[in-house]
Amino acid sequence: MTDAAPASATPMTGRDRPLFLLSFRQRDELAAQAARAGWRVVAARRGEGADHRFLASGAAVAVVDARGSVAEGLAATRALAPVTSAHGAALLALVSRDDTGRLGEFYDAGATHFLASPMREVEFVQALRFAARHAQRIGSDAHRATGEPLGWRYDPALRSLQLTPALAAMLGLSAAPSLRTMLRHVEAADRGAMRGALARLRDGIQATAFAHDLPGAGRVVEHLQRDARTGRIHALIERLGEVDASAVVRDVLTGVRDDAGMRRWLTRRLEDAQPVGVALIALGRFDMVNTAYGRDAGDSVLRAASTRIADAVRAVLGRRATLARMGGAEFLVAAEGADVEALTAAAKAIEEALTRPFVIGDVIAPVGARIATATARPGDDAAALLRRASEALAGEDDDSRAIPLDALAVDLRRAMEAGEIELRMQPQVAVATGAIVGVEALARWRHPQHGEVGAETLFAAATRAELEVALSEHVQRLALAQAARWPASLRQLRLSVNVTAADVARSGFADLFLDWVDSSGFPRSRLTVEITEGGLIDDLGEASRLLSELRAAGCRVAIDDFGTGYSSLAYLKALPLDYLKVDRRLTQDITGSARDRIVVRGVIDMARSLGLTVIAEGVETPEQLDLLAKEGCQYYQGYLCAEPLTLPELLALVDSV
C-alpha cells in the first residue's frame, strides 16, 4: 500500500454488487462462479443468524443452496424471507432434481426464484441476473436507504482506492481517500490480520477475509476478492457488531429493533452522556385478542401497532428516535435529546394512533395502550432507565379485561335458546360494477354483560363447551330461515354460510344440510357454502366428498381464508370449488411492499387459471380495491363497502346503491 491519492478514480460499477450465499455443504464453486460474473460474495455455512448477516451484507440477492439439505434450506428460507421481503430483495433457492416436488414448500416459505441441479455455470449466473433484475424492479426506498453496502475497491495499476458512498459517509472520508488515511481506521492490533489477508491474495488465493473493529460499525469482517484478470481487489464489509437502528430489522414479526438491540443502543448513548428519553408502551386488551381470536390475529395486531407507533413517533420526534419491541405486547420508543415536553407530545400521538380500533377477523376491536415516559438521569445505565419507565407504567390504570371464555362457554347453550345469537350480513360486491351481489352470514352474540361478542370468540367458547356442531347448525339454520323471508329487493342476492371443520367430519352432514335448505324454502341455486382452508386440510378426502355432494345438489362452494395457511396447488386441484376467497391479511398487505403484491397476484392468477372466481376479504381502502382490480379480482367484501349489517341496514344500503 502507498499513500498516493489517485489522479482519477474509476467509479464502482454494477459488477461490484454484493451477493449473500448460504450453502450447507462445501461448495466453493458457487462462490467462484458468482465472483467470475462480477458479484462480491458474502458466504455463510450455517442458518443461525442468516437474516442478520444478510442485512449486514447490503445484498439485494440471497441464495440458499438447499441441495441435499432440504430441511435446513427450508428453515433458512423461512428465516430470510421476512427481511428479504422487507428490503425488496430476491431470494433464490437451489434444489436437487430429486427435490423439485418440494418447490411449493420453498415458495410458501418465501423464495422468489428457483433453480434445480445439475446446472451449468451459465444457468446459475443467468438465475442471479434474473433475481437481481427482480430486486431492482421491486426494491423499495427503505432498502436503498438501509441496505447500502459498505465496501471499497483498490486498483493496483492506478494505485487508487474507491469507497462505496455508505462507507465514505460513515467514516467521514472522501470517496477516494489515500491509503494511509484509510489505514488509520484499522486498529493497530488488527493490522496484522489485514496484512495477512492481502498476502494471501498476492499468493494467488482468489478470496479471503479478516476481522477488525471499525468506527461506527463495531466488529466487522472484510471479505476480499481479487480479480485475476485486472488484479483489482474488491472488499465487502459485513457488520458483526452493533449497527444503527435504521439499518437492521431485529424483530422479524414487527420489523423493529428487539429488546437486546435497544439496550445496546441505550447503553452507547448513556455511556457518552447523551440526553435520552424513553416511552414504554403496553398494548391493552392484548390477552383478549390472543384468547378470543388466536395467535395469528395477535401477531397481526402487533404488526399494525408497530407501524402506527413508528408513524406517530416519526411525525413528532423525527429521525432522532428509534423503536423496539421489548417482548410480548410492549414497545419502547427511545430518542436522543428528547425532553419531557417532547416525550409527552410523542406519547399523546402514540395514544391517539392506538386508540383507533384494529380490524380482527370480521369485527372491529378496540385495543388501546398504557404509556409511561422517563428521561435519563446522571449515572443511569440502560437497566436503570428502563426500570424507571416500567415502574411508571405499572402505576398506570389497566382497564383491559379478557373476555372470560370459560364463563361464555357455560352460558352458550342458554344463549342459543334465548335467541341471543344473531346474524349480521356483510355485502359482497362486484369489482367491475360496484353492485352488491351477495352477502356472507356472520354470527354475533348479543351478550347481556359483555355486549356484542364476535364470531371468533363465539366459536372459541363453543369449542370450549363442546358445542361447536350445535352452534354451527344453529347459525346455518338461522341464516337460511332469515334469507328465505328476505323482501323482494334482496331476492337476487346470494347467501354465503360457513361450514366448520367439525361439520366436515360429521356423518351424513350433506344430507342434513340440504334438508335444512329445502325446508327453509331458500333456493339451492343462490346458496354458497364456505369452508375454511384449515377445515379442508384436516380431512381433505372427506371435504372433497362433502363439497362434491353439495355442488351436485345445486349449491356453490368456496374455500375461505385462502393464502395464509398451509395451502398448496394440490388442494385446489383436488376439490370441487367455485370461489376462492383471498384472506384479509393478504388483501391488506397488497398496499405494502412490491413482494406483497406479487404474492397476491400469484394467488389470484392461480385461482383464475383453475376457473375459480376470486373474492377478496377485508378490503378497507380504495387503494386496496384499485390494486386488487388491476390484479384481476372479481368480487370483494369489507369495510370499504360496509361492515357486517343488520337486516334493516342491509335493506337501506341495497336501496341506496
Side-chain angles (χ1 to χ4, degrees):
M1 291 190 174
T2 70
D3 299 336
S8 62
T10 305
M12 301 188 79
T13 69
R15 289 177 58 82
D16 297 308
R17 56 193 182 276
L19 172 72
F20 181 77
L21 172 61
L22 175 59
S23 178
F24 301 97
R25 300 291 185 268
Q26 191 74 25
R27 293 196 179 102
D28 293 335
E29 78 276 5
L30 284 179
Q33 290 171 8
R36 284 194 289 271
W39 297 84
R40 289 183 291 143
V41 179
V42 172
R45 303 202 182 280
R46 294 188 303 166
E48 294 84 356
D51 51 348
H52 299 308
R53 295 197 66 186
F54 167 78
L55 286 166
S57 74
V61 177
V63 177
V64 175
D65 182 6
R67 293 174 294 169
S69 308
V70 174
E72 292 174 294
L74 280 170
T77 301
R78 293 188 188 100
L80 284 167
V83 292
T84 55
S85 174
H87 289 72
L91 180 50
L92 170 63
L94 309 181
V95 300
S96 302
R97 290 285 181 193
D98 293 341
D99 295 320
T100 53
R102 304 188 67 177
L103 286 180
E105 296 179 57
F106 280 92
Y107 176 80
D108 290 340
T112 61
H113 294 73
F114 309 92
L115 191 61
S117 64
M119 58 193 177
R120 295 176 298 165
E121 179 173 341
V122 65
E123 293 171 330
F124 175 55
V125 171
Q126 193 65 18
L128 293 179
R129 289 172 179 163
F130 281 130
R133 189 177 303 166
H134 166 88
Q136 184 177 17
R137 186 169 62 249
I138 72 169
S140 64
D141 290 339
H143 175 69
R144 287 191 291 271
T146 65
E148 186 70 35
L150 301 176
W152 51 267
R153 185 185 66 196
Y154 177 66
D155 188 334
L158 297 175
R159 303 173 72 182
S160 66
L161 179 67
Q162 185 76 19
L163 310 186
T164 62
L167 181 59
M170 188 180 74
L171 299 179
L173 300 177
S174 68
S178 71
L179 292 175
R180 175 173 293 177
T181 300
M182 184 66 182
L183 187 61
R184 294 195 190 104
H185 291 84
V186 179
E187 297 290 337
D190 294 320
R191 291 175 189 171
M194 179 189 67
R195 286 191 291 268
L198 294 174
R200 289 191 292 275
L201 293 181
R202 287 195 298 270
D203 291 340
I205 299 295
Q206 187 173 7
T208 188
F210 71 99
H212 67 99
D213 290 324
L214 186 65
R219 195 69 177 170
V220 302
V221 173
E222 297 211 20
H223 297 268
L224 308 181
Q225 289 182 196
R226 182 177 181 276
D227 188 320
R229 182 176 60 84
T230 65
R232 291 173 181 166
I233 297 174
H234 301 262
L236 181 65
I237 298 175
E238 177 188 5
R239 295 190 256 202
L240 300 180
E242 177 62 17
V243 295
D244 185 76
S246 65
V248 175
V249 177
R250 296 260 180 207
D251 181 63
V252 172
L253 175 63
T254 60
V256 298
R257 188 183 284 273
D258 67 358
D259 183 305
M262 175 59 87
R263 290 176 185 273
R264 288 192 294 268
W265 188 94
L266 289 170
T267 296
R268 285 204 315 275
R269 282 148 183 82
L270 292 173
E271 287 177 347
D272 292 340
Q274 296 183 30
V276 174
V278 298
L280 184 60
I281 305 117
L283 300 186
R285 304 179 182 89
F286 186 72
D287 288 341
M288 180 275 290
V289 172
N290 270 338
T291 300
Y293 303 103
R295 183 173 177 178
D296 285 347
D299 289 350
S300 177
V301 168
L302 288 175
R303 284 190 290 267
S306 173
T307 299
R308 292 189 191 182
I309 294 170
D311 290 345
V313 169
R314 189 180 304 113
V316 176
L317 298 176
R319 294 183 176 274
R320 57 178 169 163
T322 187
L323 172 64
R325 179 183 172 216
M326 305 302 284
E330 285 193 352
F331 293 84
L332 186 79
V333 172
E336 299 177 72
D339 54 20
V340 174
E341 184 178 351
L343 285 174
T344 301
K348 182 178 179 181
I350 295 168
E351 184 177 17
E352 290 176 354
L354 296 178
T355 298
R356 300 195 308 271
F358 293 81
V359 176
I360 303 172
D362 54 8
V363 299
I364 292 181
V367 174
R370 294 174 296 132
I371 305 173
T373 62
T375 55
R377 297 171 181 171
D380 269 352
D381 58 11
L385 178 58
L386 293 176
R387 183 168 56 252
R388 197 159 58 254
S390 295
E391 290 170 353
L393 186 68
E396 296 285 329
D397 291 332
D398 183 7
D399 61 354
S400 64
R401 298 186 304 272
I403 293 179
L405 207 58
D406 289 331
L408 294 181
V410 170
D411 205 28
L412 181 56
R413 189 177 295 277
R414 181 207 58 78
M416 288 191 286
E417 295 172 353
E420 292 177 5
I421 308 302
E422 301 178 344
L423 293 181
R424 299 289 185 269
M425 302 289 178
Q426 186 162 41
Q428 295 175 336
V429 185
V431 172
T433 64
I436 297 173
V437 296
V439 295
E440 179 183 1
L442 301 167
R444 294 289 185 274
W445 185 351
R446 183 170 39 81
H447 197 283
Q449 282 80 44
H450 300 290
E452 185 173 285
V453 178
E456 294 285 349
T457 305
L458 177 55
F459 275 89
T463 301
R464 185 75 60 93
E466 298 185 352
L467 291 173
E468 187 177 5
V469 169
L471 177 62
S472 182
E473 177 179 337
H474 182 84
V475 172
Q476 291 159 1
R477 300 187 73 168
L478 185 62
L480 289 165
Q482 289 190 9
R485 301 193 301 270
W486 277 346
S489 60
L490 302 182
R491 286 180 184 162
Q492 299 306 311
L493 299 184
R494 296 195 64 82
L495 171 67
S496 294
V497 296
N498 290 283
V499 170
T500 68
D503 292 327
V504 174
R506 189 178 180 185
S507 177
F509 174 73
D511 291 334
L512 282 171
F513 182 79
L514 291 171
D515 284 344
W516 302 335
V517 176
D518 294 341
S519 62
S520 73
F522 190 83
R524 297 179 178 182
S525 60
R526 286 171 42 214
L527 183 63
T528 299
V529 174
E530 296 188 6
I531 183 168
T532 63
E533 186 182 334
L536 291 171
I537 293 165
D538 288 339
D539 192 337
L540 183 60
E542 189 63 23
S544 179
R545 183 199 60 75
L546 170 66
L547 298 186
S548 294
E549 290 185 36
L550 295 176
R551 200 163 182 258
C555 304
R556 293 291 175 262
V557 295
I559 180 172
D560 197 10
D561 300 331
F562 186 84
T564 58
Y566 299 95
S567 55
S568 77
L569 185 60
Y571 296 133
L572 297 186
K573 290 168 62 179
L575 294 168
L577 299 170
D578 298 286
Y579 301 98
L580 182 148
K581 299 189 72 176
V582 178
D583 186 90
R584 68 186 66 251
R585 284 166 288 185
L586 283 183
T587 296
Q588 292 167 1
D589 282 347
I590 197 170
T591 55
S593 70
R595 176 164 179 171
D596 290 328
R597 292 194 290 276
I598 290 170
V599 171
V600 178
R601 180 186 306 152
V603 170
I604 294 174
D605 288 347
M606 179 172 60
R608 297 194 65 176
S609 68
L610 293 171
L612 306 182
T613 300
V614 180
I615 304 174
E617 298 182 284
V619 178
E620 299 177 7
T621 67
E623 183 184 7
Q624 291 171 352
L625 181 60
D626 181 59
L627 291 171
L628 287 164
K630 290 177 180 177
E631 300 301 345
C633 182
Q634 295 120 308
Y635 299 93
Y636 79 92
Q637 66 184 79
Y639 286 88
L640 180 62
C641 173
E643 62 186 17
L645 305 172
T646 63
L647 181 59
E649 291 169 338
L650 177 63
L651 278 168
L653 178 64
V654 170
D655 289 342
S656 69
V657 174

